[in-house]
């Protein structure tokens, strides 16, 4: 095989009779038909599953991100149609769809609150982070193959690596049984130490100097942890699609469900708009007029106009100019004005939705559910874990890694299943 990015870790290609699919189409199919993908229908995006039948779950968010991702790729291909070398590096539709569909499958029940709870419990065992769990699921856990998970192509795995580094050995102290605040224990964005072998395999085609550049980290202020600085071209497109879906479509959810009112928008957004360039000012003025209009088709038009503005403005830049491998040298980005608007929308949603007391109170309750369930399963795994999970736990515990299996089990739960399991173990909270 001349292209190392097409390789699969099993070094095997199961070619069924008359199967004419590309490697990316096959990767997309493996993701689409996985149990981990199906569970997204019952996992929290922002507001808890079951609170309303309108807003997005992790599944609908991922579908929308995939649609935006293909729009970004097609726009970039048109923009660089006369620059064959750049255009050739862009992913095809099936590949970017695969990445966007899979990007959230490692997220645990109850959104980022659940992520923080599991990270706290795993501080002495390598931590927990949703994107690291996505990488773990596709490369090891999903039972498409005996030993290699979905056995995706190397390029697909590279595209799912938002943070292509390992965490520090020491992540902190978790001796308190149930701290009332988990704010200091937000997840370290990285791959888990247990999956370092897969990380090494994915990055094997890179030269030593390229790998050093790609795995560069920066220190975080007031934290012993470090931040991964780089991602591949495909991952940058996937992340941009994710950000657009979050900033725009979650705003729509917030408006329709009444979390955001027009008065709040008018108090905050017009002043920020004054800093924008004239074309973006005009767009945002029209959007402001339509987002809260009683005729719903005008709100949908405003949402579409925002998404279109972001997609059509995207371009490529050299994020690592000294790298020889184009897949890590290039990244997709938005111009300054469009990025400022997207950041503004994300901040607005965070302030007026995610930070609201009822959302945070629900998060607090769910975090404590996961903390208690983790303790229960860790205290007596051979009695409380399901039979098939017990087998995995015994194999991992022989290597001192049993807690990772417990974390895998809890993180794979849907919101509803986690609620039911908690009731089974403890009764009412």
């Amino acid at each position: 095989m001349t292209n190392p990015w097409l390789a699969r870790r099993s070094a095997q290609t199961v070619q069924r009779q008359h199967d004419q699919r590309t490697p990316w189409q096959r990767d997309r199919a493996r993701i689409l038909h996985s149990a981990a993908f199906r569970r997204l229908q019952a996992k929290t995006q922002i507001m808890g599953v079951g609170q309303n039948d309108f807003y997005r779950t992790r599944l609908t968010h991922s579908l929308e991100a995939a649609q935006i991702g293909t729009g970004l790729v097609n726009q970039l291909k048109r923009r660089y149609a006369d620059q064959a070398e750049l255009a050739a590096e862009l992913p095809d539709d099936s590949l970017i769809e695969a990445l966007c569909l899979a990007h959230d499958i490692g997220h645990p029940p109850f959104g980022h609150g659940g992520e923080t709870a599991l990270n706290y419990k795993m501080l002495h065992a390598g931590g927990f982070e949703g994107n690291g769990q996505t990488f773990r699921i596709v490369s090891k856990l999903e039972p498409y193959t005996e030993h290699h998970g979905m056995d995706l192509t190397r390029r697909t795995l590279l595209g799912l690596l938002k943070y292509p580094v390992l965490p520090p050995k020491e992540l902190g102290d978790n001796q308190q049984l149930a701290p009332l605040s988990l704010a200091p224990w937000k997840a370290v964005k990285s791959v888990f130490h247990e999956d370092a072998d897969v990380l090494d395999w994915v990055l094997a085609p890179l030269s030593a100097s390229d790998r050093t550049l790609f795995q560069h980290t920066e220190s975080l202020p007031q934290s012993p942890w470090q931040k991964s600085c780089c991602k591949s071209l495909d991952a940058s497109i996937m992340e941009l699609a994710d950000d657009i879906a979050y900033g725009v479509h979650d705003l729509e959810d917030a408006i329709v469900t009444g979390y955001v009112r027009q008065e709040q928008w008018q108090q905050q957004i017009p002043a920020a708009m004054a800093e924008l360039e004239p074309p973006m000012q005009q767009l945002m003025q029209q959007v402001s007029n339509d987002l809260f209009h009683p005729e719903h088709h005008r709100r949908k038009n405003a949402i579409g106009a925002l998404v279109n503005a972001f997609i059509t403005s995207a371009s490529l830049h050299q994020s690592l100019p000294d790298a020889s491998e184009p897949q890590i040298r290039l990244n997709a980005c938005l111009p300054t004005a469009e990025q400022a608007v997207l950041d503004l929308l994300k901040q607005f949603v965070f302030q007026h939705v995610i930070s609201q007391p009822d959302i945070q109170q629900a998060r607090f309750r769910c975090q404590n559910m996961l903390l208690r369930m983790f303790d229960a399963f860790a205290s007596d795994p051979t009695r409380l874990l399901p039979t098939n999970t017990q087998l995995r736990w015994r194999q991992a515990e022989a290597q001192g890694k049993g807690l990772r299996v417990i974390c895998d089990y809890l993180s794979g739960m849907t919101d509803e299943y986690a609620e039911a399991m908690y009731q089974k173990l403890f009764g009412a909270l």
Side-chain angles (χ1 to χ4, degrees):
M1 182 176 294
T2 57
N3 185 348
W5 300 113
L6 287 173
R8 299 183 188 275
R9 196 155 176 255
S10 67
Q12 298 177 353
T13 301
V14 179
Q15 192 70 31
R16 295 184 174 91
Q17 188 176 19
H18 307 309
D19 187 354
Q20 301 300 314
R21 293 175 298 170
T22 68
W24 321 126
Q25 289 172 327
R26 297 176 68 197
D27 283 357
R28 180 185 61 185
R30 293 179 187 190
I31 291 163
L32 190 61
H33 295 288
S34 67
F37 179 73
R38 290 195 300 276
R39 291 189 187 105
L40 294 177
Q41 66 186 311
K43 288 194 177 186
T44 292
Q45 171 65 10
I46 290 184
M47 290 170 272
V49 172
Q51 292 179 355
N52 188 289
D53 62 1
F54 170 82
Y55 57 75
R56 276 94 178 162
T57 63
R58 289 272 178 193
L59 179 64
T60 55
H61 162 76
S62 298
L63 293 171
E64 289 173 333
Q67 183 268 328
I68 293 170
T70 56
L72 285 166
V73 168
N74 290 326
Q75 175 66 25
L76 290 168
K77 286 181 177 178
R78 289 185 178 91
R79 174 165 293 202
Y80 297 100
D82 59 344
Q83 300 180 51
E85 289 187 5
L86 287 180
E89 296 300 330
L90 291 166
D92 78 357
D93 286 357
S94 295
L95 174 52
I96 198 63
E97 283 181 6
L99 298 178
C100 291
L101 292 173
H103 82 280
D104 267 354
I105 62 174
H107 277 266
F110 312 127
H112 289 290
E115 180 183 54
T116 306
L118 291 180
N119 182 59
Y120 178 77
K121 282 300 179 184
M122 291 294 291
L123 285 176
H124 288 334
F128 176 83
E129 195 272 332
N131 294 287
Q133 188 69 13
T134 293
F135 187 71
R136 180 168 172 80
I137 288 170
V138 299
S139 62
K140 289 189 175 179
L141 300 184
E142 190 69 28
Y144 186 91
T145 62
E146 185 176 2
H147 300 296
H148 303 297
M150 296 185 194
D151 198 25
L152 303 178
T153 59
R154 182 183 264 121
R155 179 165 174 176
T156 301
L157 290 176
L158 180 70
L160 289 171
L161 278 171
K162 289 179 67 172
Y163 315 110
V165 296
L166 297 174
K169 290 290 185 182
E170 293 295 327
L171 294 177
D173 178 26
N174 62 355
Q175 295 308 301
Q176 290 179 261
L177 291 180
L180 292 180
S181 174
L182 290 175
W185 308 117
K186 291 181 180 178
V188 181
K189 298 183 183 301
S190 62
V191 172
F192 307 138
H193 284 288
E194 290 89 340
D195 306 317
D197 56 333
V198 187
L199 178 63
D200 287 338
W201 180 83
V202 172
L203 301 185
L206 300 181
S207 67
S209 59
D210 274 6
R211 179 162 178 172
T212 298
L213 289 169
F214 189 54
Q215 294 189 292
H216 175 66
T217 59
E218 291 180 354
S219 297
L220 292 172
Q222 300 178 334
S223 172
W225 302 340
Q226 294 183 314
K227 174 186 176 183
S228 170
C229 300
C230 305
K231 58 183 63 68
S232 71
L233 170 60
D234 298 343
S236 73
I237 298 172
M238 175 265 285
E239 187 170 47
L240 182 53
D242 182 24
D243 283 350
I244 294 171
Y246 164 63
V248 179
H249 293 306
D250 288 350
L251 171 64
E252 181 183 15
D253 279 2
I255 293 170
V256 173
T257 55
Y259 269 90
V260 169
R261 301 183 305 277
Q262 190 168 12
E263 312 87 79
Q264 296 169 314
W265 180 272
Q266 293 298 335
Q267 288 170 3
Q268 186 171 341
I269 301 302
M273 284 166 43
E275 305 296 325
L276 301 176
E277 298 174 4
M280 289 306 296
Q281 283 190 22
Q282 294 171 10
L283 172 65
M284 291 302 292
Q285 183 60 56
Q286 186 59 51
V287 165
S288 297
N289 293 337
D290 290 346
L291 273 178
F292 299 90
H293 200 280
E295 297 180 7
H296 291 180
H297 71 275
R298 292 185 60 172
R299 184 189 67 246
K300 297 301 294 186
N301 184 63
I303 294 296
L306 279 171
V307 173
N308 179 72
F310 295 136
I311 289 177
T312 56
S313 67
S315 62
L316 299 178
H317 75 109
Q318 296 197 51
S319 59
L320 289 175
D322 296 329
S324 59
E325 169 55 59
Q327 283 300 311
I328 68 167
R329 186 173 68 244
L330 299 168
N331 270 191
C333 65
L334 297 180
T336 302
E338 283 78 4
Q339 186 63 55
V341 171
L342 182 55
D343 290 342
L344 180 64
L345 297 179
K346 290 166 60 179
Q347 292 163 9
F348 187 79
V349 170
F350 183 84
Q351 178 181 348
H352 294 287
V353 183
I354 298 174
S355 297
Q356 291 306 298
D358 58 338
I359 297 291
Q360 291 302 313
Q361 289 161 6
R363 176 175 289 189
F364 178 83
R365 171 181 174 273
C366 294
Q367 283 179 329
N368 280 280
M369 288 170 57
L370 284 177
L371 291 172
R372 290 193 69 189
M373 283 196 291
F374 193 103
D375 288 339
F377 288 120
S379 70
D380 202 345
T382 58
R383 181 163 70 108
L384 298 179
L385 286 173
T387 304
N388 61 335
T389 309
Q390 286 185 33
L391 177 62
R392 286 188 56 232
W393 178 85
R394 287 191 176 94
Q395 292 170 344
E397 184 65 10
Q399 303 173 20
K401 298 178 180 179
L403 290 181
R404 181 60 65 189
V405 173
I406 294 171
C407 189
D408 289 340
Y409 175 58
L410 285 168
S411 69
M413 293 180 176
T414 63
D415 293 18
E416 184 179 6
Y417 187 88
E419 292 264 10
M421 179 58 69
Y422 185 87
Q423 289 288 332
K424 187 181 294 186
L425 291 173
F426 298 106
L429 182 64

